[in-house]
């Protein structure tokens, strides 16, 4: 019995040491991986995207799909990076500024709206798309034609998102459910507990055009905000002009149009033609 | 630096930080009551002389103690509310608050039960035997003799459960309750310029909430423990 105590302490120490090294190993492994690709086939570029937004930035095994991904690949190509030199990095909304500031990514294409508050910490190129907040409703529901019909309706959006805040500010008569993700919202929309899901139109179109959801929902098509999706760059980056040139070229070549159409197929979605394709803002 | 402080101060004008913390405090309060009642009941089942009740109690504890809290809340909202269409309140926002209280209570009741059971273990068997010897049946013996002593011995683990509950109220964001962690997401979305200060504010808020609970339970466990 007596010897079990020191043994236990030793075991705990060993476990703690293992956990610590596991952490350290994970970190240095990640960086090492980045460096080895950089050394192996010339430079690589680390691009931050969303992994969970079908139609925009989506990871399916080793495949990355979506409009953000297509634009990122085009821009990276124009900057001189082949597709296998792109290192995709997941960048959730809350981490985007920090990932740029801490040099974890070189660029971010992740439905990243250009705002003044964000411009204080990061630089933006673009916009490469102007989205607008819109509503997704069940295919057979015609009672909601726009935000003015939301009074007394149940509405779902994502906790902490711009769209959720806008509904709270402008349409206090609507009952808002805030869920961790849009997939949760679609479940509630399908079962009828909420009448509409709200966020940017192209995100809604992406959600509605996945295989599982095709034919169940429709985008209302009456946008009530302007979200200018920009390319997030570290503060003081010298890439802004090159990225803008690439976006302009992509639009002129028609690859932009093709990317939008391909990624929203089956959602019965028309992007706002008054605002799109956008002209990139001059770099500061 | 003073500009940063000004930016930081404007955060409190823009967002109701204290109000969001107040939601966490209310969640803690109601879920503490709920989990205490349910947990005591389950503890009673686990020490009862009836085998099927003991089995049910053990089943409850193992099910809820080993299920992540987030999953319980997501199940309540997506499964019970969204799919089964059960509303706990006519008021839309209150409905989710109640779901969060239910989820937190269900989860923490398992821990309350185990805390009380550990308290029961501090009561010498002779106490229960003496209670039976003077003619008390199980429930009166538990209520009059065993539980009062057990609770006093269980103050420290119960305090730990209360601390865990306080912090776990942040999971209520998953049930669409606008408490501090949901507000934190909003603040990060709109005010990335003061992101570190946002984190520190929330962290400090919880320290201020939780430290008194720890001090109080330490004090109470010394003061109230049954001296043997």
């Amino acid at each position: 019995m007596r010897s079990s105590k020191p043994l236990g302490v030793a075991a705990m120490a060993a476990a703690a040491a293992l956990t610590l090294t596991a952490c350290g190993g994970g970190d240095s492994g990640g960086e090492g991986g980045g460096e080895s690709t950089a050394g192996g086939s010339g430079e690589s570029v680390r691009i931050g995207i969303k992994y969970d937004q079908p139609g925009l930035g989506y990871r399916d095994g080793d495949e990355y799909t979506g409009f953000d991904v297509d634009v990122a690949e085009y821009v990276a190509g124009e900057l001189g990076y082949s597709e296998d030199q792109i290192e995709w990095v997941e960048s959730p909304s809350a981490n985007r500024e920090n990932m740029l500031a801490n040099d974890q990514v070189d660029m971010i294409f992740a439905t990243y709206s250009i705002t003044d508050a964000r411009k204080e910490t990061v630089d933006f190129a673009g916009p490469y798309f102007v989205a607008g907040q819109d509503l997704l409703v069940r295919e057979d529901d015609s009672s909601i034609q726009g935000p003015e019909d939301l009074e007394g309706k149940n509405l779902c959006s994502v906790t902490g998102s711009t769209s959720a805040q806008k509904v709270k500010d402008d349409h206090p008569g609507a009952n808002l459910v805030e869920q961790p993700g849009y997939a949760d919202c679609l479940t509630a929309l399908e079962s009828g507990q909420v009448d509409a899901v709200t966020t940017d139109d192209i995100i809604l179109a992406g959600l509605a055009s996945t295989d599982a959801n095709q034919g169940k929902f429709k985008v209302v098509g009456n946008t009530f905000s302007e979200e200018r999706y920009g390319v997030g760059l570290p503060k003081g980056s010298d890439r802004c002009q090159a990225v803008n040139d690439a976006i302009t070229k992509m639009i002129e070549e028609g690859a932009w149009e093709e990317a939008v159409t391909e990624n929203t197929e089956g959602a019965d979605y028309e992007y706002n033609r008054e605002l799109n394709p956008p002209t990139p803002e001059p770099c500061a | 630096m003073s500009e940063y402080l000004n930016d930081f101060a404007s955060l409190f004008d823009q967002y109701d930080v204290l109000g969001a913390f107040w939601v966490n405090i209310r969640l803690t309060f109601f879920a503490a009551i709920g989990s205490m009642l349910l947990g005591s009941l389950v503890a009673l089942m686990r020490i009862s002389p009836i085998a099927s009740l003991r089995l049910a109690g053990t089943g409850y504890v193992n099910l809820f103690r080993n299920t992540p809290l987030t999953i319980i809340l997501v199940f309540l909202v997506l499964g019970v509310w969204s799919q089964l269409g059960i509303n706990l309140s006519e008021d839309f926002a209150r409905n989710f608050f109640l779901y969060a209280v239910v989820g937190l209570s269900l989860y923490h009741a398992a821990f309350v039960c185990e805390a009380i059971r550990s308290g029961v273990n501090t009561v010498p068997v002779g106490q229960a035997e003496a209670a039976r010897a003077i003619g008390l049946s199980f429930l009166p013996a538990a209520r009059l003799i065993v539980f009062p002593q057990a609770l006093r011995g269980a103050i420290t683990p119960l305090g730990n459960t209360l601390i865990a509950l306080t912090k776990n109220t942040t999971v209520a964001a998953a049930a669409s309750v606008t408490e501090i962690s949901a507000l934190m997401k909003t603040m990060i979305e709109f005010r990335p310029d003061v992101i570190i200060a946002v984190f520190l504010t929330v962290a400090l808020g919880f320290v201020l909430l939780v430290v008194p609970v720890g001090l109080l339970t330490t004090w109470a466990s010394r003061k109230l423990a049954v001296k043997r």
Side-chain angles (χ1 to χ4, degrees), chain A residues 93-98 115 117-118 120-121 154-155 159-163 165-166 168 175-180 183-185 187-194, chain B residues 3 7 15 74 77-78 80-87 92-93 96 173-178 181-183 185-193 195-196 199:
Chain A
S93 293
N95 298 356
R96 291 180 298 202
E97 287 80 20
N98 281 338
T115 67
R118 287 172 182 161
E120 286 187 22
T121 36
N154 299 348
L155 190 64
T159 315
S161 64
T162 319
S163 324
Q165 193 60 39
K166 194 164 172 63
K168 282 188 206 167
N175 297 320
L176 181 68
V177 198
E178 290 179 86
Q179 285 292 297
D184 308 302
C185 280
T187 314
L189 178 62
E190 196 177 355
S191 71
Q193 282 290 72
V194 301
Chain B
E3 197 190 331
D7 284 350
Y15 299 103
V74 168
V77 171
L78 283 187
V80 180
W81 176 75
S82 173
Q83 294 297 317
L84 301 179
I86 295 171
N87 286 310
F92 196 76
F96 294 106
S176 187
V177 178
T178 310
S181 78
L183 186 72
K185 277 187 194 160
T186 310
M187 292 192 288
I188 291 169
E189 170 85 10
F190 293 96
R191 296 298 301 274
D193 48 325
I195 191 166
I196 304 289
F199 278 121

Side-chain angles (χ1 to χ4, degrees), chain A residues 9-29:
Chain A
V9 172
M12 274 171 70
L18 272 174
T19 326
L20 286 174
T21 44
C23 277
D27 268 351
S28 60

Side-chain angles (χ1 to χ4, degrees), chain B residues 1-14:
Chain B
M1 189 65 208
S2 73
E3 197 190 331
Y4 189 85
L5 283 178
N6 277 336
D7 284 350
F8 179 49
S10 71
L11 206 64
F12 288 85
D13 297 331
Q14 202 179 345

Side-chain angles (χ1 to χ4, degrees), chain B residues 91-148:
Chain B
D91 183 271
F92 196 76
R94 217 177 112 81
N95 182 41
F96 294 106
F97 181 84
L98 292 177
Y99 265 117
V101 170
V102 169
L104 287 165
S105 300
L106 286 174
Y107 178 76
H108 287 94
F111 294 92
V112 167
C113 165
E114 294 304 88
I116 291 177
R117 230 160 52 92
S118 77
V120 169
N121 287 338
T122 67
V123 182
V125 187
Q127 294 279 328
E129 286 169 347
R132 300 307 288 269
I134 59 170
L136 294 173
S137 62
F138 172 71
L139 278 178
R143 185 168 61 88
L144 296 169
I145 311 292
V146 181
F147 260 52

Side-chain angles (χ1 to χ4, degrees), chain A residues 37-85:
Chain A
T37 20
S41 56
E43 292 267 304
S44 73
V45 63
R46 296 159 303 166
I47 299 183
I49 53 165
K50 295 271 177 75
Y51 278 7
D52 56 356
Q53 280 184 349
L56 282 150
Y58 191 70
R59 180 189 179 164
D60 188 6
D62 288 343
E63 294 273 304
Y64 299 90
T65 57
F67 177 66
D68 280 344
V69 172
D70 291 347
V71 177
E73 278 176 354
Y74 191 97
V75 169
E78 287 298 304
L79 294 178
Y81 298 100
S82 66
E83 264 176 46
D84 53 6
Q85 282 172 309

